[in-house]
Amino acid sequence: MNYSPPTFSEIQTAAERIAPFAEITPVLTNSAISEMAGTELFFKCENFQKVGAFKFRGACNAVLSLRDKDAAKGVATHSSGNHAAALALAGKIREISVHVVMPDNAPKVKIRAVEGYGAKITFCKPTLEAREATLNRVKNETGAIVIHPYNDERIIAGQGTVALEFLQEYPELDTIIAPIGGGGLISGTCVAAKGTHPDIAIIGAEPKGADDAFQSLIKGEIVPQTNPKTIADGLLTSLGDKTFPIIQEHVEKILTVSEEGIVKAMRLIWERMNIIVEPSSAVVLAALLEHPEERIGSHVGLILTGGNADLDNLPW
Amino acid sequence: MNYSPPTFSEIQTAAERIAPFAEITPVLTNSAISEMAGTELFFKCENFQKVGAFKFRGACNAVLSLRDKDAAKGVATHSSGNHAAALALAGKIREISVHVVMPDNAPKVKIRAVEGYGAKITFCKPTLEAREATLNRVKNETGAIVIHPYNDERIIAGQGTVALEFLQEYPELDTIIAPIGGGGLISGTCVAAKGTHPDIAIIGAEPKGADDAFQSLIKGEIVPQTNPKTIADGLLTSLGDKTFPIIQEHVEKILTVSEEGIVKAMRLIWERMNIIVEPSSAVVLAALLEHPEERIGSHVGLILTGGNADLDNLPW
C-alpha cells in the first residue's frame, strides 16, 4: 500500500485554509462533572462549530482544496447528516453545486439543515450498500467529485484542526478522548496531537452496538460494521483504509459504552453544562463514566463533536 | 420616600466582590437569528453562570455584604427557583445556613439544585401570599436574615454586574433587552448601563400573561401581579418599591409577548445556538420577533437569564 497519512504540516495548512470560515470553538469546564469523573475535564465544543459539528472543518478543507476545474463539476457525498450539512455549506461558500445522498431515516433536523444550505438531496435505504450505490448513480449522472465523509486525506487533515486548536489553548492536556465512527476525527486527532505532544494518549470511544473499530483493533484488520444498533447516529459507519492505519498506530485504546451510558452522559451534559450535544458527542463522557477502572490522565480533553439533536425525539 | 437606588459605583463594588466566585459569562452571536430579527444581536449567556442563572450575582453580592454577626444567623428567602439555588450556593460559599421557601409547583430541576447546595427547603402554595407568610414563619423560627429575591439594593447591584460586563466587552451596544419579573435584573441593568452609556435604550420584555410591569408603567404605580399565566416561571412576581422607581425612570418601553412566541423563541435558541435556555430567557428574543414594527437599535444586547429548563417537561 502506498498510502501516506496526512502530515502535521498538512493539518496546519488546513487550519489556515478554513480559518476565514470555521469557528474557533470554546472549551468549557464543569467542576461537577469533573468530580464525577475523578479527573479534570476539558470539553472542546464543536457543537458550536458551523453547521453544529466538527464535520465542517473537514468538508471545508476538502472543498477549498479542489482545483477550480474540479470544483466546477460540483461535489457529492453520502452522509447520515453532519457531513452532508458540512459539505452543503462548504459548497455554498465556494459557490458550487452539492449533491447529498442521505439515508431515509436521517434525523429531520439534519435533513432541514442540508436543504437550508441549498444542496440537492437524494434519499436511500439506511445501509452502507444502498448509500454507496446511490452515490455512484448520482456521481455518474452529475459528474460531481465525490468527497467521502472520512476516508479522504483532506477530510482527515481538516478534522485534525480540532485537536490542533484544543492543544494550542490547553497544552497541559495529557489525554484526548474522541468518538469513532468512520475514524476521520480520531485519525486527524492523532496526527495533530502527536505532532506537538508525542506522549499524549489518544483514546477512542465507541458504542457497544457499533463497536467495529474496537473489533478491528483486536483483529488487526478492518472489521466492517454490519447492522449497527445505537442511538449515536453519527457513529454507524465502518473504518476506512485511510483512517484505520493511523488508528492502529496511534490510538492507545478504545472504550466501548452502553446505550444507557450514552443517554445518561448526554443528559448530564445538557443538565449541568446547559449546552446541547447530540448522542454521538456524549459517547466520550460515557466512556469515562462507565470505565472508572481505566487509568486516565489528570487533564483529559473530550471532543464534543456536534449538537444537532432532534428536539422532537429526545431519548428520555 | 427616602429610598435611594444603588449607584453605578455600588455595581462596580459588587462586581469586585463577586469576582472570585461568579463566572464572566460568554457573549454569543448567531447570524441566522440576527437576520430574522433584522438587526445585529449579542446574547449574554447567563445560562452559563453559576447555578445556571444571573441570580447568583445578586445573591452572592448580598450574602458577601452581610456583617459577620448577621451572616451567622443564616439567610432565608422565598423563590420559584433560581434565586433559591443562588442563595443556597452563596450561603454555602460563606458557610452559613440557608432556608428557602419554594412553591410546591417549582420545576424539579430547580428543587434538586437547591437541595444539592445543602439548603433547607420549606414548600408552600404557589401564591405570593403563601410564600410571604411561610417565609415569615421560617424567619421567626430560625432568626435568619431575609434576602428578598429582587426588592433589595444589594441584589439589584449584583444583577447590575451583567450589564457592566456586557458593555465592557461590547461597548458598541445601543440597546439592551432584559426580561422583567420582579425587576431586579432590569433595574440593575439600567443603573449599570446608564452609568457608562447615558443614551443606551433599556427595553423590558414581559409575557402577556404576566404583564404587571407593563401595566404599572401605564398606571404610574405598581400594579400587583395576580394570577399570572405563563410558561416563563421566573417572571411571575410583582415589581417592588425598590425596582419600580428605577424602571419608571430609565426603561424606554416594555414589549409584551405571547406564550407561542416564547416557546418559538426558546426553540430557536436551542436549535440554532445549541444552548439550553429556560422559557424566561426566551422572552427577550420573542419580544424582538413579535414586534418587528418597533424601532430597535443596530447593536442589540439580549440577556439570556438562565438555563434551568425541565428536560422532562419541554414545551414542544
Side-chain angles (χ1 to χ4, degrees):
Chain A
M1 189 186 80
N2 59 6
Y3 166 62
S4 60
T7 61
F8 181 72
S9 116
E10 281 167 322
I11 292 175
Q12 291 177 305
T13 304
E16 287 162 28
R17 191 179 281 129
I18 70 175
F21 309 105
E23 302 286 342
I24 293 180
T25 52
V27 173
L28 298 180
T29 59
N30 186 279
S31 52
I33 300 179
S34 284
E35 205 170 300
M36 292 173 71
T39 184
E40 205 167 343
L41 302 183
F42 301 82
F43 297 87
K44 179 70 170 165
C45 292
E46 288 295 302
N47 54 329
F48 295 142
Q49 187 51 264
K50 291 275 166 64
V51 314
F54 76 95
K55 293 272 184 179
F56 178 67
R57 295 173 183 263
C60 188
N61 187 51
V63 167
L64 296 182
S65 300
L66 292 172
R67 289 172 300 180
D68 285 345
K69 67 168 188 173
D70 287 331
K73 298 174 186 166
V75 291
T77 197
H78 68 78
S79 161
S80 65
N82 283 333
H83 174 65
L87 196 70
L89 177 56
K92 190 183 175 192
I93 287 169
R94 189 143 183 194
E95 299 180 344
I96 60 177
S97 62
V98 179
H99 306 271
V100 173
V101 173
M102 295 184 86
D104 51 21
N105 64 350
K108 277 195 201 106
V109 64
K110 296 188 179 179
I111 296 170
R112 277 198 300 271
V114 173
E115 289 171 340
Y117 296 122
K120 185 162 185 295
I121 303 179
T122 307
F123 290 102
C124 70
K125 289 254 151 59
T127 67
L128 187 58
E129 292 70 27
R131 283 159 66 150
E132 290 184 341
T134 311
L135 177 58
N136 213 34
R137 181 165 59 74
V138 168
K139 176 187 151 191
N140 290 338
E141 285 170 11
T142 63
I145 307 279
V146 170
I147 309 278
H148 192 276
Y150 51 87
N151 206 37
D152 179 308
E153 294 84 353
R154 300 158 299 184
I155 295 288
I156 295 170
Q159 319 305 31
T161 64
V162 178
L164 196 73
E165 247 177 60
F166 205 173
L167 286 164
Q168 274 163 359
E169 190 174 351
Y170 288 94
E172 67 268 41
L173 295 182
D174 51 35
T175 308
I176 293 180
I177 309 184
I180 306 189
L185 175 65
I186 200 164
S187 57
T189 300
C190 287
V191 177
K194 296 286 181 178
T196 54
H197 290 60
D199 296 332
I200 198 168
I202 309 298
I203 296 177
E206 209 176 25
K208 280 195 175 72
D211 69 345
D212 59 299
F214 180 77
Q215 299 298 342
S216 300
L217 275 195
I218 291 174
K219 201 165 178 196
E221 63 185 59
I222 297 175
V223 177
Q225 181 62 56
T226 52
N227 198 21
K229 287 210 171 78
T230 175
I231 190 180
D233 62 275
L235 309 179
L236 306 179
T237 44
S238 306
L239 296 179
D241 59 8
K242 298 186 175 173
T243 58
F244 180 58
I246 307 176
I247 292 169
Q248 226 180 355
E249 184 178 350
H250 291 299
V251 169
E252 184 169 302
K253 60 190 151 198
I254 294 176
L255 302 174
T256 61
V257 299
S258 69
E259 293 299 294
E260 310 89 274
I262 297 171
V263 173
K264 200 175 147 195
M266 178 175 165
R267 178 150 178 148
L268 196 63
I269 292 168
W270 285 47
E271 213 163 78
R272 295 289 183 148
M273 298 178 69
N274 283 338
I275 61 173
I276 291 177
V277 295
E278 56 188 272
S280 305
S281 290
V283 170
V284 290
L285 178 60
L288 267 183
L289 298 179
E290 282 203 344
H291 294 278
E293 79 287 359
E294 291 287 342
R295 284 185 52 219
I296 304 281
S298 61
H299 293 78
V300 178
L302 304 180
I303 301 178
L304 297 179
T305 47
N308 297 316
D310 196 335
L311 297 180
D312 293 318
N313 195 15
L314 294 173
W316 48 73
Chain B
M1 188 186 81
N2 59 7
Y3 164 64
S4 61
T7 61
F8 181 71
S9 117
E10 282 167 322
I11 292 176
Q12 290 176 304
T13 304
E16 287 162 27
R17 191 179 282 128
I18 69 175
F21 309 105
E23 303 286 342
I24 293 180
T25 52
V27 173
L28 297 179
T29 59
N30 185 279
S31 52
I33 301 179
S34 284
E35 204 169 300
M36 291 173 72
T39 183
E40 205 168 342
L41 302 182
F42 301 82
F43 297 87
K44 178 71 169 163
C45 291
E46 288 296 300
N47 54 328
F48 295 142
Q49 187 52 266
K50 290 276 165 66
V51 315
F54 76 95
K55 292 272 184 178
F56 178 68
R57 296 172 182 264
C60 187
N61 186 51
V63 166
L64 296 181
S65 300
L66 291 172
R67 289 171 303 179
D68 284 346
K69 68 169 188 173
D70 287 332
K73 298 173 187 167
V75 291
T77 198
H78 68 78
S79 161
S80 64
N82 283 332
H83 175 64
L87 196 70
L89 177 57
K92 190 183 175 192
I93 287 169
R94 189 144 182 193
E95 299 180 345
I96 60 177
S97 62
V98 178
H99 306 271
V100 173
V101 173
M102 293 184 87
D104 52 22
N105 64 350
K108 277 195 200 107
V109 65
K110 297 189 178 179
I111 295 171
R112 279 199 298 272
V114 173
E115 290 171 340
Y117 297 123
K120 186 163 184 295
I121 303 180
T122 307
F123 290 100
C124 71
K125 288 256 152 55
T127 66
L128 187 57
E129 292 70 28
R131 284 160 66 150
E132 288 184 342
T134 310
L135 176 58
N136 213 34
R137 181 165 61 73
V138 168
K139 176 187 152 191
N140 290 338
E141 284 170 12
T142 62
I145 307 279
V146 170
I147 309 278
H148 192 276
Y150 52 87
N151 207 36
D152 179 309
E153 294 84 353
R154 299 159 299 185
I155 295 289
I156 295 170
Q159 318 305 32
T161 64
V162 178
L164 196 71
E165 248 176 57
F166 205 173
L167 287 164
Q168 272 163 0
E169 191 175 350
Y170 287 93
E172 67 267 42
L173 295 183
D174 51 34
T175 308
I176 293 180
I177 309 184
I180 306 189
L185 175 65
I186 201 165
S187 57
T189 300
C190 287
V191 177
K194 296 285 181 179
T196 54
H197 290 60
D199 295 331
I200 199 168
I202 309 297
I203 296 177
E206 208 176 24
K208 280 196 175 72
D211 68 344
D212 59 299
F214 180 77
Q215 299 297 342
S216 301
L217 275 195
I218 291 174
K219 200 166 178 196
E221 63 185 57
I222 296 176
V223 176
Q225 181 62 57
T226 52
N227 198 23
K229 287 209 171 78
T230 175
I231 191 178
D233 62 274
L235 309 179
L236 305 179
T237 44
S238 305
L239 296 179
D241 59 7
K242 297 186 176 174
T243 58
F244 180 57
I246 306 175
I247 293 169
Q248 226 180 355
E249 186 179 348
H250 291 299
V251 169
E252 184 169 300
K253 61 189 151 198
I254 294 177
L255 302 174
T256 61
V257 300
S258 70
E259 293 300 292
E260 310 89 275
I262 297 171
V263 173
K264 200 176 147 192
M266 178 174 164
R267 177 151 180 150
L268 196 62
I269 292 168
W270 285 47
E271 213 163 76
R272 295 290 183 148
M273 298 178 69
N274 283 338
I275 61 173
I276 291 178
V277 295
E278 55 188 272
S280 305
S281 290
V283 170
V284 289
L285 179 59
L288 267 183
L289 299 179
E290 283 202 344
H291 294 278
E293 79 286 359
E294 291 287 341
R295 282 185 53 218
I296 304 282
S298 62
H299 292 80
V300 178
L302 303 180
I303 301 178
L304 297 178
T305 48
N308 297 315
D310 197 333
L311 297 181
D312 292 317
N313 196 14
L314 294 174
W316 48 74

